[in-house]
Amino acid sequence: MVSKTAIDDFLGRESLALAGVSRSGKKFGNAVLKDLSGKGYEVLPIHPEAAEIGGVRCYRSLADLPVEVGGMVLVVPPLQTERLVREAGEVGIGSVWMQPGAESEAAIRFCEEQGIDVIHGECIMMFAQPKGIHKAHRWLRGVLGKLPADDS
């Protein structure tokens, strides 16, 4: 299980790459983009084909990012996650959040072997100043004792 400390550390980063936004605007990655941007994060979407989505500039790859980012959020299928964590390692991104459904054992193992901090099995929207359904979901998990615990 991921620790609360690891989650807090990830959320303390000001700039994040995000893979998983769609041109249709209807994927969960688009909701993550809107939510995190609205909370003051600098979010840099990665999209191999789109230069812009919803008025936000996109970058073809992590290597194309104009600034160093503190971490990467993945909202893509597991095979894409596996490719992207390798790319993250190549460009020096040291922290990755794999949304539920994006994770794979191979990607998690790669991150651990390469010293990349990895969060998986948790929804970033439940922890980054949650609102609405995400706040209710976090509350319920807390009542049930299923939230990540402190490292101590």
Side-chain angles (χ1 to χ4, degrees):
M1 178 179 251
V2 175
S3 73
K4 182 180 180 314
T5 302
I7 289 171
D8 291 344
D9 181 57
F10 189 93
L11 295 175
R13 299 161 191 273
E14 296 177 3
S15 63
L16 300 168
L18 169 65
V21 294
S22 74
R23 287 181 273 200
S24 73
K26 298 179 183 189
K27 298 287 184 174
F28 192 73
N30 298 77
V32 171
L33 172 62
K34 182 179 177 185
D35 187 71
L36 293 179
S37 296
K39 292 173 179 167
Y41 289 92
E42 177 184 23
V43 183
L44 298 123
I46 305 301
H47 195 290
E49 299 168 358
E52 180 181 297
I53 293 176
V56 178
R57 168 109 161 75
C58 295
Y59 301 90
R60 292 175 98 45
S61 71
L62 293 172
D64 291 337
L65 292 174
V67 296
E68 194 172 304
V69 295
M72 175 173 58
V73 180
L74 294 159
V75 193
V76 294
L79 287 177
Q80 288 181 29
T81 294
E82 291 172 13
R83 179 182 54 77
L84 285 162
V85 295
R86 286 182 182 80
E87 191 177 330
E90 291 169 8
V91 300
I93 293 175
S95 192
V96 172
W97 189 304
M98 297 176 194
Q99 277 294 115
E103 64 268 270
S104 79
E105 289 301 318
I108 293 166
R109 189 171 45 256
F110 176 84
C111 289
E112 292 170 347
E113 290 169 355
Q114 298 300 311
I116 298 171
D117 296 329
V118 59
I119 297 170
H120 57 89
E122 300 292 347
C123 176
I124 195 166
M125 290 172 64
M126 275 184 30
F127 294 94
Q129 305 164 24
K131 297 186 281 187
I133 191 70
H134 293 97
K135 186 173 186 176
H137 191 202
R138 181 178 172 156
W139 174 83
L140 180 60
R141 286 195 55 210
V143 168
L144 298 173
K146 296 192 179 222
L147 286 176
D150 288 324
D151 290 335
S152 52

